[in-house]
Amino acid sequence: PQDAPVDFTGEANAQALIDTMRKRLCYQASPETRAYAEDLKAKLRDVQPEMSDVLVPNCVYRCGCPEMQSCGLWDSMVKQTEGAVSSHRINERYEAYNRYFYESRKDGDHEN
């Protein structure tokens, strides 16, 4: 069945993980998928902070939502980061997103 728990062991190189997380951290992903992706990002920070910091949703990477219908996350982040996430410098966007992401987790907005 679709909802049956499974054990999963997998391997991915850095680029595959970055590409996958662009979709999985998006609010267009199912809530369960996004929650797992967020937990992976947070846990990875403990052992590989450089890798964790480049795991961002597609809207952060692209500096705007590329979907036909936006989930609203991009607009919300632009407001909450006072525009920092919409910088034309990718490193500034990533830094702003990571502050937003971890602050949200502290507040309990994104935890399981």
Side-chain angles (χ1 to χ4, degrees), residues 17 21 24-25 31-47 52 55 97 101-102 105 108-112:
L17 187 58
M21 290 300 115
R24 302 299 183 257
L25 290 170
E32 299 85 5
T33 298
R34 191 181 67 254
Y36 286 123
E38 289 174 350
D39 288 348
L40 174 64
K41 176 179 172 66
K43 294 287 184 194
L44 187 59
R45 187 181 197 200
D46 295 337
V47 293
S52 175
L55 303 181
Y97 169 74
F101 176 81
Y102 290 111
R105 288 184 69 86
D109 293 346
H110 295 90
E111 290 184 18
N112 285 342

Side-chain angles (χ1 to χ4, degrees), residues 74-89:
W74 177 253
D75 294 332
S76 176
M77 285 190 297
V78 169
K79 288 179 187 167
Q80 290 186 22
T81 65
E82 297 178 351
V85 78
S86 62
S87 170
H88 291 289
R89 294 191 172 110

Side-chain angles (χ1 to χ4, degrees), residues 1 3 5-6 9 13-15 17 34 44 49 51-53 56 62 65 73 80 83 85 92 94 102 104 107 111-112:
D3 63 346
V6 295
T9 302
N13 64 27
Q15 190 61 57
L17 187 58
R34 191 181 67 254
L44 187 59
M51 175 56 74
S52 175
D53 285 350
V56 300
R62 301 221 175 259
C65 181
L73 176 63
Q80 290 186 22
V85 78
E92 292 175 4
Y94 282 32
Y102 290 111
S104 295
D107 296 340
E111 290 184 18
N112 285 342

Side-chain angles (χ1 to χ4, degrees), residues 60-74:
V60 174
Y61 172 70
R62 301 221 175 259
C63 198
C65 181
E67 298 293 329
M68 296 284 278
Q69 276 191 290
S70 174
C71 68
L73 176 63
W74 177 253

